[in-house]
Amino acid sequence: MNLLDSAETSTLPKLVMRNSRMFGAEPAMREKNRGIWQTLSWREAADYLRDLALGLSSLGFGRGDKLSVVGDNRPALYLAQLSAQALGGVAIPVYQDAIASELVYVLNHAEVSMIVAEDQEQVDKILSLRDQLPNLKWIIFEDPRGLAGSDEPILKSLEDVLALGRASTARTEFERELAAGSADDIAMIAYTSGTTGQPKGALLSHRNMIATAENYIRGETVERGDNWLAFLPMAWVGDAMYSLAVALVAGATVNCPESPETVQRDLRELGPTIVLAPPRIWETLLTQVQVRAADSSAFKRRVFEYFRGVAERRELLLQDGKPVPGGLKLAYALGEWLVYRPVRDLLGFRLARWAVTGGAPLGPDTFRFFRSFGINLKQVYGQTEASALVAFQRDGQVDPNGVGEPVPGLEFRIADNGELQVRGPGVFVGYYKQDDVTAETKTPDGWLKTGDAAVISPQGQLSIIDRAKDVGRLADGTPFAPQFIENKLKFSPFIREAVAFGDGRDFVAAMVAIDMETVGNWAERNGLAYTSFMDLARKPEVARLICEEAMKINATLPEATRVNRVLLLNKELDADDNEITRTRKVRRSYVAEKYKPVIDAFYGGKDSAEVTMEITFEDGRKTTLDATIAIHDVPADAAARAAA
């Protein structure tokens, strides 16, 4: 029976109560605190949810009200969202690193009346904006350090709210509100990353979330008691889907790291059965492995590179459906003991049955690397407006150039303009306060226009080309998908971000932000002194390094789409500066406008560009930085490189 067929399991908080009844002593959540993992059972989670909901109710929170959470991943913040939903309210998670203007927009647009904040840092940020938040009634903080004894009348500690709930005599009213919850009630407003302007609030119902989770579990092996580490922003709809909906439906355990800085260590300690991470994390992990290999002895480097080659050759044969020769099998078995298993242990994947990447495309080379080392990495594709999950790869059907088949119950079609459209129970209700935009995004018969250019193979496998509006052509008519080239560039451990240009132009050019850690290590090994990111990025030696990396990547690209010119940015692309979203997607239209002098210099044959960059601080203050940045031509081949 589907969960949505029963009134007792039709909302997310009702699932907490079901899990408490069915397997109450089993772990629901864990949190690393002061080096110790602390476990919350399903029964304890249900009691916490009830007490917090009663406490919120005593402060005036009720049906239709909005509650926001801000901070790192914490069981208390997840349960705060569920408590609000149990009262018929709506949860609005926001990015913990959002700058002031972003927070004000979302909190006012959503008409948030209560905020549950993790600590003093988040509380101070919100207090500084209080005059701009007319709907805000209470700020509830979890960590009292630095806040105890505050005389701010709007502040209340989470422990005090729980105490109000425990002392409440309104248990019957709580049960009544919980029972009144319907599958079609709005569970959360998930704000999109806003690549083309202000974020939009996608209304996701309990039906959207639960149906998507149930359908996903029908096609993927998520089991009761499975563990994963919840370290991705709670405001990202993917975290809401896995850490709330999928975990509640399956009875899986959500584990929260001690801090963002301890994620890698906590991952190794936990040894999760499931690993969830966006492309940026996989790219960072690959860089770490490459750096450790480069820093090892000459003998260990040779061993690593030999068995890496063995793994890649085997993986390519498997992907092509070809038999693996006996000698290669034997070499891979030896590599399992010498290289692959130690790398998996180092990364914390020793118990992982499978791992997923999603949120943005992952470069095929990076994808193959992890699969070749014995990590069952698979791609998922989704959108906020489709409750995070649209398609995923099944075991045995993994292709680095695709994202798999649709989630059961979801339909695909390709429109005449090449845009992917989907329909099913996960498609959102609409945009909050934006009926006109909703009408542009959903067809009258319920198809969601994803905005992504895609193709579907005869076997029903989906491949995403790029954002439909970003796919173009070079001047000679060659198709140009910037994201594909950018992912190729980011396979280099020395390149953190890249933005490719070429639509309507004679050739492809790219702006590159170096990876400070790996390029810094390289500079130290080569005796190259530097003082800052800007200083390092301006070194001629670093420019040659990046050009050499571009040459390697060009060898894997069709001649027409090879990168001809590069510019090394003197700062990283930053969400605070509107260059990328909080989920690290490039805001192309904004970047094209901001860096227009660079684009003009690329295609005007100049050897440098004059750039004025606006830099935004966390408190919203802005400053500008003027710089002359060199442009470098990428040699066509090794012989040309030597001549240059």
Side-chain angles (χ1 to χ4, degrees):
M1 182 183 75
N2 292 337
L3 293 173
L4 294 168
D5 292 337
S6 169
E8 293 189 353
T9 51
S10 60
T11 68
L12 296 173
K14 289 179 182 179
L15 290 177
V16 177
M17 300 304 173
R18 178 206 66 163
N19 294 352
S20 174
R21 293 191 300 270
M22 293 182 64
F23 32 90
E26 296 179 17
M29 294 180 173
R30 292 191 190 93
E31 179 178 17
K32 185 85 169 291
N33 188 14
R34 292 183 172 88
I36 300 173
W37 286 102
Q38 301 181 5
T39 302
L40 197 68
S41 71
W42 283 108
R43 188 172 296 115
E44 290 169 333
D47 291 342
Y48 191 107
L49 186 157
R50 182 185 296 107
D51 291 341
L52 182 52
L54 286 166
L56 293 174
S57 178
S58 69
L59 294 178
F61 191 88
R63 186 163 296 276
D65 288 338
K66 318 295 196 319
L67 178 142
S68 185
V69 296
V70 56
D72 294 328
N73 308 70
R74 293 285 177 263
L77 300 190
Y78 287 118
L79 288 167
Q81 296 179 72
L82 292 164
S83 297
Q85 293 165 354
L87 297 172
V90 181
I92 297 100
V94 295
Y95 286 99
Q96 69 271 36
D97 59 348
I99 60 174
S101 59
E102 290 177 283
L103 274 179
V104 168
Y105 175 80
V106 170
L107 296 175
N108 278 334
H109 186 264
E111 300 172 316
V112 168
S113 61
M114 291 191 186
I115 298 174
V116 180
E118 179 193 4
D119 54 21
Q120 182 184 13
E121 178 186 357
Q122 301 297 344
V123 169
D124 287 346
K125 189 192 305 184
I126 298 162
L127 285 174
S128 70
L129 307 172
R130 183 171 41 176
D131 293 343
Q132 303 174 59
L133 302 172
N135 301 297
L136 185 60
K137 298 176 181 176
W138 290 102
I139 302 172
I140 301 167
F141 56 88
E142 181 195 11
D143 187 345
R145 285 176 293 186
L147 293 167
S150 172
D151 58 358
E152 287 284 353
I154 199 172
L155 287 184
K156 193 169 278 292
S157 75
L158 187 60
E159 189 52 49
D160 285 346
V161 179
L162 286 167
L164 286 173
R166 287 190 287 267
S168 174
T169 59
R171 298 296 173 104
T172 303
E173 285 79 355
F174 167 78
E175 298 295 342
R176 185 169 59 246
E177 287 295 346
L178 180 67
S182 162
D184 293 314
D185 289 346
I186 300 302
M188 67 184 304
I189 304 178
Y191 278 82
T192 63
S193 54
T195 55
T196 57
Q198 290 283 18
K200 300 184 289 290
L203 298 167
L204 298 177
S205 67
H206 292 277
R207 182 182 302 280
N208 290 149
M209 303 288 285
I210 294 172
T212 300
E214 278 195 289
N215 289 335
Y216 178 64
I217 292 169
R218 289 191 182 101
E220 185 57 276
T221 55
V222 185
E223 302 169 358
R224 201 170 98 204
D226 269 338
N227 285 284
W228 59 73
L229 192 69
F231 63 94
L232 303 174
M234 288 187 293
W236 179 51
V237 71
D239 181 72
M241 173 50 61
Y242 280 102
S243 297
L244 288 177
V246 173
L248 291 173
V249 170
T253 305
V254 176
N255 300 269
C256 299
E258 185 154 13
S259 70
E261 293 73 30
T262 66
V263 165
Q264 190 65 58
R265 185 184 68 202
D266 295 343
L267 190 66
R268 287 196 297 270
E269 283 184 13
L270 180 67
T273 51
I274 295 169
V275 178
L276 316 167
R280 180 67 257 168
I281 299 297
W282 295 106
E283 291 158 1
T284 299
L285 291 174
L286 172 60
T287 296
Q288 291 174 359
V289 172
Q290 291 173 322
V291 168
R292 287 179 73 99
D295 287 344
S296 61
S297 66
F299 174 74
K300 288 184 178 180
R301 280 200 306 274
R302 286 195 293 270
V303 170
F304 177 83
E305 290 301 331
Y306 171 76
F307 284 108
R308 175 178 176 174
V310 166
E312 289 178 350
R313 291 196 299 275
R314 174 181 176 273
E315 183 64 23
L316 287 170
L317 289 171
L318 291 174
Q319 286 175 6
D320 292 340
K322 297 177 181 178
V324 179
L328 192 58
K329 287 182 180 178
L330 183 61
Y332 188 83
L334 182 59
E336 171 68 12
W337 289 97
L338 294 176
V339 177
Y340 314 139
R341 181 177 293 179
V343 167
R344 293 199 302 273
D345 285 346
L346 171 71
L347 298 177
F349 296 167
R350 62 186 181 278
L351 300 178
R353 291 199 316 277
W354 52 269
V356 297
T357 177
L362 178 65
D365 299 320
T366 305
F367 187 79
R368 287 193 188 96
F369 173 86
F370 287 105
R371 286 196 60 83
S372 70
F373 271 54
I375 296 168
N376 184 21
L377 179 60
K378 299 183 282 187
Q379 302 207 65
V380 298
Y381 163 72
Q383 288 200 326
T384 302
E385 295 85 351
S387 303
L389 290 170
V390 170
F392 65 99
Q393 295 178 329
R394 277 68 165 175
D395 288 335
Q397 298 180 338
V398 178
D399 179 352
N401 298 306
V403 293
E405 298 178 7
V407 171
L410 198 67
E411 301 175 81
F412 282 171
R413 74 180 183 189
I414 303 296
D416 292 341
N417 63 353
E419 180 189 40
L420 173 69
Q421 298 183 358
V422 300
R423 182 171 67 178
V427 172
F428 76 141
V429 175
Y431 292 118
Y432 187 48
K433 298 179 180 176
Q434 291 183 289
D435 292 343
D436 54 337
V437 183
T438 301
E440 295 172 1
T441 307
K442 285 175 68 176
T443 66
D445 54 347
W447 288 91
L448 170 66
K449 302 174 184 178
T450 66
D452 288 327
V455 293
I456 301 174
S457 73
Q459 294 76 33
Q461 298 286 317
L462 179 68
S463 294
I464 305 298
I465 300 170
D466 207 329
R467 293 295 291 172
K469 60 184 176 57
D470 294 333
V471 176
R473 292 184 179 275
L474 300 179
D476 64 1
T478 302
F480 171 67
Q483 211 166 64
F484 176 76
I485 294 170
E486 290 159 4
N487 285 332
K488 283 280 189 180
L489 288 166
K490 288 190 288 184
F491 183 71
S492 165
F494 302 112
I495 297 175
R496 180 169 177 81
E497 294 290 350
V499 184
F501 305 97
D503 186 23
R505 305 287 189 168
D506 293 330
F507 59 85
V508 176
M511 297 193 312
V512 167
I514 61 173
D515 187 293
M516 181 68 175
E517 182 178 355
T518 53
V519 175
N521 287 340
W522 174 87
E524 290 169 11
R525 290 197 305 272
N526 287 274
L528 186 64
Y530 64 94
T531 58
S532 64
F533 185 104
M534 181 185 298
D535 182 36
L536 185 60
R538 288 183 168 186
K539 299 289 186 186
E541 297 88 345
V542 172
R544 286 195 292 271
L545 171 68
I546 298 302
C547 284
E548 288 168 359
E549 292 295 298
M551 286 171 58
K552 296 175 188 175
I553 291 149
N554 280 344
T556 69
L557 292 169
E559 185 174 354
T561 60
R562 291 174 182 171
V563 179
N564 283 26
R565 311 193 80 194
V566 296
L567 176 143
L568 276 58
L569 292 167
N570 56 9
K571 62 179 281 294
E572 292 185 347
L573 296 178
D574 197 326
D576 288 353
D577 297 330
N578 289 323
E579 296 161 335
I580 55 176
T581 68
R582 294 291 163 191
T583 53
R584 304 203 67 83
K585 296 175 184 174
V586 176
R587 286 190 164 106
R588 295 191 185 278
S589 58
Y590 181 83
V591 167
E593 179 181 349
K594 181 174 182 176
Y595 292 97
K596 186 177 183 300
V598 172
I599 300 171
D600 292 342
F602 272 147
Y603 298 102
K606 298 179 180 178
D607 58 6
S608 65
E610 303 289 335
V611 181
T612 299
M613 290 178 287
E614 186 176 72
I615 299 173
T616 305
F617 298 103
E618 190 171 314
D619 62 2
R621 291 182 298 113
K622 298 178 185 290
T623 188
T624 56
L625 177 67
D626 295 323
T628 301
I629 308 178
I631 293 175
H632 308 277
D633 294 315
V634 179
D637 52 37
R641 170 74 183 89

